[in-house]
Amino acid sequence: MAPPARYCVPGERLCSTEEATAGSGTYTRHGFIFSSLAGCLEKRSEDSGLPVVSVVRDAESQLLPDVGAVVTCKVCSINSRFAKVHILYVGSTPLKSTFRGTIRREDIRATEKDKVEVYKSFRPGDIVLAKVISLGDAQSNYLLSTAENELGVVVARSEAGVQMVPISWCEMQCPRTHTKDFRKVARVQPQFLQT
Amino acid sequence: MAAPELLSDEGYRADGRRPAELRKIRARMGVFAQADGSAYIEQGNTKALAVVYGPHEMRGSRSKALPDRALVNCQYSVATFGTSERRRRPRGDRQTGELALQLQQTFEAAILTQLHPRSQIDIYVQILQADGGNYCAGVNAATLAVMDAGIPMRDYVCACSAGLAEDTPLADLSSPEEAAGGPRLVLALLPASGQIALLQLSARLHQERLETVLEAAGQACRALHAVLDRVVRERLREVTALLGD
């Protein structure tokens, strides 16, 4: 069993900014680093000079999607101009409550953006890998984009209710009825595929 | 008007406390498993429960979302069985609405809201038994609940009330002492930096007495901080032991 770590509480002064840099769970004020969470103190030494001081909690608190993060979402409705999705995972951590996101028509593909049809790229119920491009403004939700080869639909069900198999970057086929459906398919890296 | 003696000749209050003595405090964190953070506190006979959800996406009107920080949404309610006479409306009247707004202002000063833009943090305070210092107990319970939820805070927020009996300042007023009609000062303090998050005064207080009463309230808040700190550290040890680290 590891020796008991040092516990800190919000408002506790940890050290000065000359001895270390502030990491997560801390804030700086008047040249000193204070803790902002109730948890265990962690000191990591960086190669570039000062060690990084951070406070970690055992139970992970809510993670918010940040710009540039790859998220897993489920399409809930589509429109001729955009698709509305529920963001379920950020990276590999599940979210406790879902966030709403929007994939605009021009952000679905990188090439031939004006020839895109949303109905031929996503359908309600698809699981999609997307990247956050904006936190949105006062009126809109998170803005997502699938304009990369590794982003797009990963799981889709055909009208027969069976999970479809991807055959190209724009088509998926149902294994039972052999009908082909159009989707913007993600090229998942081989190491993430489970057989 | 013959008011009941707040301070006896020997210097004891009606419930047997010394003027600067706080009531007995019992607190627990992590009372509910479903909420992100929760806490329960008893200060004498006043019992308060606080539950925190968040930070999560804005519910309701998205236009109220702030682009650079989180919105702190507070609700303060007193249970119908909480007072000596059954309350008609647990919340929705003007007084609880004002206390909810004060809670919001207090916690916006303490929570680092810049870390979670365009999201919402909900704090619900329920007073189960009201025996003086209701708002203060609510603030203390909410501080523990916010810490339990893992929301980054600048410091603890410790709140305490103070009053005056002739020339002696009293700390942590109970319900009969509040009803006596004297001045009542409520102070919410961030102990490490000594910054005041909220200062409220009811009835009248002479300007020359303000310093002493404020000092008494400050001392009481710092004593409260020591108690809450013990509770939080105990909880940290408990959680680490449970998770087998």
Side-chain angles (χ1 to χ4, degrees):
Chain A
M1 209 144 54
R6 187 184 141 193
Y7 295 120
C8 18
V9 288
E12 194 175 318
R13 195 169 68 183
L14 301 174
C15 60
S16 82
T17 43
E18 288 157 25
E19 294 164 9
T21 27
S24 72
T26 61
Y27 68 97
T28 50
R29 195 168 162 265
H30 296 329
F32 288 99
I33 301 179
F34 293 83
S35 164
S36 70
L37 292 178
C40 299
L41 183 67
E42 209 182 66
K43 208 160 188 175
R44 267 199 330 273
S45 45
E46 295 278 303
D47 305 320
S48 57
L50 296 173
V52 175
V53 157
S54 57
V55 180
V56 286
R57 271 173 60 88
D58 297 306
E60 272 307 312
S61 51
Q62 179 78 304
L63 189 67
L64 289 182
D66 204 6
V67 177
V70 174
V71 296
T72 307
C73 33
K74 184 173 192 155
V75 179
C76 59
S77 69
I78 58 174
N79 189 316
S80 60
R81 284 178 297 131
F82 51 78
K84 290 237 191 250
V85 302
H86 282 305
I87 303 178
L88 304 169
Y89 286 75
V90 174
S92 45
T93 40
L95 294 176
K96 270 180 275 189
S97 58
T98 57
F99 287 86
R100 304 292 302 266
T102 307
I103 307 178
R104 291 180 305 180
R105 180 168 153 242
E106 53 267 22
D107 297 325
I108 294 178
R109 283 211 323 237
T111 53
E112 291 189 332
K113 287 185 189 174
D114 39 330
K115 293 216 186 92
V116 171
E117 277 187 60
V118 183
Y119 189 65
K120 288 195 178 153
S121 312
F122 302 128
R123 293 285 172 88
D126 290 351
I127 305 292
V128 172
L129 268 177
K131 189 181 273 198
V132 181
I133 48 176
S134 160
L135 300 177
D137 55 13
Q139 268 76 41
S140 66
N141 317 323
Y142 286 93
L143 276 182
L144 310 170
S145 157
T146 53
E148 271 174 43
N149 289 340
E150 287 80 25
L151 304 175
V153 176
V154 277
V155 174
R157 290 191 177 271
S158 71
E159 270 146 45
V162 184
Q163 190 165 326
M164 294 200 285
V165 174
I167 43 181
S168 80
W169 69 272
C170 59
E171 278 189 318
M172 285 182 128
Q173 189 173 32
C174 170
R176 192 190 296 169
T177 58
H178 302 293
T179 46
K180 292 187 191 167
D181 259 351
F182 291 105
R183 296 285 198 281
K184 198 273 173 189
V185 185
R187 188 181 65 187
V188 183
Q189 305 294 323
Q191 67 255 33
F192 296 129
L193 282 174
Q194 248 183 342
T195 39
Chain B
M1 183 195 58
E5 281 263 340
L6 285 173
L7 210 57
S8 75
D9 297 325
E10 287 86 35
Y12 288 106
R13 291 152 80 172
D15 52 6
R17 284 187 285 154
R18 284 273 169 204
E21 200 180 316
L22 298 175
R23 292 176 288 181
K24 186 174 168 92
I25 300 169
R26 262 176 294 233
R28 275 194 51 199
M29 290 169 67
V31 181
F32 294 122
Q34 308 95 307
D36 291 329
S38 54
Y40 171 76
I41 198 169
E42 276 181 32
Q43 266 180 254
N45 287 328
T46 302
K47 299 178 167 64
L49 188 63
V51 175
V52 169
Y53 291 95
H56 56 74
E57 209 183 8
M58 284 292 298
R59 305 267 167 78
S61 63
R62 206 150 308 125
S63 55
K64 286 202 201 128
L66 303 160
D68 56 343
R69 50 185 215 271
L71 183 75
V72 178
N73 173 41
C74 298
Q75 192 191 69
Y76 178 92
S77 87
V78 182
T80 49
F81 46 82
T83 44
S84 47
E85 262 192 26
R86 189 174 188 275
R87 260 180 89 100
R88 274 300 164 83
R89 305 176 70 181
R91 58 176 180 277
D93 59 335
R94 191 177 298 184
Q95 197 195 25
T96 44
E98 192 179 311
L99 289 169
L101 194 61
Q102 283 176 3
L103 259 177
Q104 181 181 349
Q105 288 171 345
T106 307
F107 280 93
E108 266 177 6
I111 296 177
L112 294 170
T113 47
Q114 287 85 359
L115 295 174
H116 300 287
R118 299 194 64 240
S119 57
Q120 184 179 333
I121 299 171
D122 295 316
I123 303 178
Y124 300 118
V125 169
Q126 171 92 331
I127 306 293
L128 299 173
Q129 193 166 305
D131 186 40
N134 311 325
Y135 173 75
C136 304
V139 167
N140 297 329
T143 297
L144 293 178
V146 170
M147 248 179 249
D148 191 42
I151 298 174
M153 291 214 318
R154 211 160 263 128
D155 195 358
Y156 285 77
V157 186
C158 300
C160 200
S161 57
L164 207 61
E166 302 296 307
D167 287 326
T168 330
L170 304 173
D172 196 10
L173 303 175
S174 62
S175 181
E177 287 167 346
E178 281 181 0
R184 182 176 72 110
L185 187 86
V186 172
L187 173 71
L189 187 73
L190 273 64
S193 46
Q195 291 175 319
I196 296 177
L198 183 100
L199 185 62
Q200 185 202 22
L201 176 68
S202 359
R204 281 179 308 189
L205 182 64
H206 197 281
Q207 199 177 336
E208 287 166 14
R209 305 274 174 82
L210 182 62
E211 275 299 323
T212 39
V213 177
L214 196 56
E215 182 56 39
Q219 292 281 47
C221 283
R222 273 177 267 269
L224 197 78
H225 166 67
V227 177
L228 294 182
D229 197 41
R230 224 174 23 236
V231 172
V232 171
R233 287 185 193 270
E234 189 53 50
R235 172 78 180 157
L236 278 174
R237 265 189 287 268
E238 198 180 275
V239 166
T240 328
L242 276 176
L243 290 174
D245 202 36

